[in-house]
Amino acid sequence: MPISPVNEIRSFLALSDSVATAGQPTEEQFASLRAAGYEIVINLALPTSTHALPNEQAVVESQGMQYVHIPVLWETPTLEDLDRFFSVMAASNGKRILVHCALNMRVSAFMYLYRLLCEGVSEVEAKQDLNQIWVPNDDWQRFIDQAIAHYSQPLTPGT
């Protein structure tokens, strides 16, 4: 079976040469990702999400890629989820990464925040990429605003 291009993955969006986002890939599409040089797959979807693969970790690891699962509840994303995501992204610097969820909506919001708060990408550029996928609903906009306020506060010594 020929390997399909990664841009056939649902809602695939390359943000840079090393980071792309997408909705849920199929088992076959993980082989395409490996063939395209991706080294790490970060999954923000729940195991019960639409089209979730019950054996995704095994599928990804069988392709020789690292798998990280940070299940983010659609209705209630948390700063703890975001902290873990930021840590994984920082530890993966220099590697080719695909970040996915069910439809690329949670991921696009998390990547918007990562690019804005950790990489220093302009708000205009980060929002343009976010809005290629969706315009966050009220709950997600509140979370985005909460995260920006949280990460914009100066750190207190000893915390």
Side-chain angles (χ1 to χ4, degrees):
M1 170 191 291
I3 294 177
S4 63
V6 294
N7 61 5
E8 290 181 7
I9 298 170
R10 176 190 312 268
S11 299
F12 182 86
L13 179 63
L15 297 174
S16 69
D17 289 339
S18 60
V19 178
T21 66
Q24 176 67 56
T26 65
E27 191 167 336
E28 297 76 23
Q29 288 169 332
F30 282 115
S32 301
L33 288 163
R34 183 62 189 142
Y38 286 87
E39 302 165 270
I40 300 172
V41 172
I42 302 171
N43 177 5
L44 301 185
L46 299 179
T48 55
S49 292
T50 305
H51 308 295
L53 297 177
N55 59 341
E56 181 169 329
Q57 181 171 355
V59 169
V60 169
E61 291 175 350
S62 75
Q63 292 293 329
M65 296 181 288
Q66 180 184 345
Y67 180 77
V68 179
H69 190 201
I70 306 170
V72 176
L73 292 173
W74 172 254
E75 300 83 7
T76 54
T78 67
L79 291 176
E80 292 79 16
D81 295 332
L82 191 61
D83 285 339
R84 183 162 175 229
F85 176 72
F86 285 179
S87 294
V88 170
M89 289 297 291
S92 304
N93 190 26
K95 296 186 177 173
R96 290 200 78 196
I97 305 165
L98 174 81
V99 187
H100 85 82
C101 60
L103 299 172
N104 198 2
M105 293 165 74
R106 289 166 250 245
V107 167
S108 62
F110 271 50
M111 283 304 305
Y112 166 79
L113 290 166
Y114 180 75
R115 295 173 76 212
L116 186 70
L117 299 169
C118 300
E119 293 186 327
V121 171
S122 76
E123 197 271 339
V124 170
E125 182 182 347
K127 184 158 268 188
Q128 180 181 15
D129 290 331
L130 167 65
N131 292 157
Q132 281 190 61
I133 303 301
W134 73 310
V135 174
N137 64 26
D138 291 344
D139 292 336
W140 275 88
Q141 190 58 57
R142 271 191 295 278
F143 172 71
I144 288 169
D145 295 342
Q146 175 193 20
I148 291 170
H150 173 78
Y151 284 98
S152 298
Q153 296 177 14
L155 293 177
T156 306
T159 60

